[in-house]
Amino acid sequence: MAERRPILAGSPVCWTILKFVVLGPLLRLLFRPRVSGLEHIPLTGGAIVAANHVSFLDPLLLPLVVPRRVMFLAKMKYIDKPLLRWFLRAVGVIPVATDEPGGIPGAAGAAGAAGAVAAGVRAVRDGRLVGIFPEGTRSPDGRLHRGKTGVARIAIQAGVPVIPAGITGTDLAFPRGARLPRPRSVRIAFGPPISFPAPADAACADAAAPGTAAAPGTAAPGTAAAPGTAAAAGGYPALTRRATDQVMAAIGALSGQQAGADIT
């Protein structure tokens, strides 16, 4: 069982060797990534890259084409696998515990997700570029499904932009059920950064939304929430839902995917 720490910082040396010497050249040879919109990636400072997820190749090819080191959110079940543990610890990830120890979804999963959001906020505030697949898992049918609100919660609490990314072709290069990838060109497109209201504006935004109310224990509507607290974004579900939907719409425009049944 892997040690559960909020952030596995990784090694910049290992990252560099894997990207430019060991793994990166092979990935470029096999999949010949065509990239557009890299000018939207900030060269310094904290930010989030949010992309669609259709293949196991996505978390390998996305950081390959980005000029900066990317730290992804990763499910704890992958970090616990012996064959993946050394790799994820080397490159650095933010673990997400989505299930209870026995594999039963419940309160522990919600607490794990909240912990991942808090770790994501710390990471971007430290100037890191954090990678997120808002759908939470690979698309089962190639469509773009409803995003989870963690991406918006991190962005709003930390006051950082979200750069949407659309990945196409990886589902054909390494489809579900395939044992080995198939060499073919893939495309990755980045869109303009998306920024959201500051936490102090979140209460006003949700107060104006019909049928919404602040969650118990959070700031009342019309009252500024303290930056960096759960109330800054997590207490305003209408705001984070709208922000997440905005990110998913931008991703869909870049990937060209049809919307899944859960967002149509």
Side-chain angles (χ1 to χ4, degrees):
M1 183 69 69
E3 180 184 356
R4 280 163 168 74
R5 293 185 289 173
I7 296 178
L8 302 179
S11 165
V13 174
C14 287
W15 173 275
T16 301
I17 292 174
L18 286 169
K19 181 172 181 176
F20 295 104
V21 180
V22 179
L23 191 58
L26 178 62
L27 291 173
R28 288 188 180 276
L29 178 65
L30 292 176
F31 306 111
R32 308 183 303 281
R34 293 173 289 129
V35 188
S36 62
L38 279 179
E39 67 275 10
H40 299 306
I41 305 290
L43 297 179
T44 59
I48 298 169
V49 176
N52 59 318
H53 195 11
V54 292
S55 169
F56 276 133
L57 290 174
D58 300 333
L60 294 176
L61 294 178
L62 189 65
L64 178 68
V65 303
V66 173
R68 294 176 57 187
R69 185 180 171 198
V70 184
M71 173 175 280
F72 280 95
L73 272 68
K75 291 181 180 179
M76 202 71 223
K77 65 178 184 180
Y78 296 127
I79 301 171
D80 286 344
K81 292 182 181 293
L83 292 178
L84 289 176
R85 186 183 308 166
W86 71 269
F87 176 80
L88 295 177
R89 284 181 173 273
V91 300
V93 294
I94 299 173
V96 181
T98 53
D99 297 318
E100 293 187 32
I104 303 172
V117 168
V121 170
R122 289 195 298 273
V124 292
R125 283 183 171 169
D126 286 342
R128 294 182 183 271
L129 188 62
V130 171
I132 298 178
F133 297 111
E135 293 166 280
T137 188
R138 287 175 298 156
S139 170
D141 55 12
R143 298 188 178 195
L144 186 68
H145 290 267
R146 199 177 200 211
K148 301 182 185 301
T149 59
V151 60
R153 292 169 62 191
I154 294 173
I156 292 171
Q157 289 188 43
V160 298
V162 177
I163 297 93
I167 305 173
T168 55
T170 54
D171 54 334
L172 299 176
F174 201 174
R176 277 179 173 268
R179 289 194 170 189
L180 295 173
R182 307 163 183 173
R184 63 176 297 134
S185 182
V186 303
R187 179 177 174 273
I188 303 175
F190 298 93
I194 303 171
S195 296
F196 302 109
D201 300 327
C204 297
D206 265 12
T212 61
T218 66
T223 304
T229 65
Y236 304 101
L239 175 77
T240 54
R241 181 71 263 164
R242 289 195 302 270
T244 303
D245 290 345
Q246 183 181 351
V247 170
M248 299 309 294
I251 292 173
L254 293 165
S255 69
Q257 291 169 280
Q258 292 182 340
D262 50 358
I263 57 174
T264 54

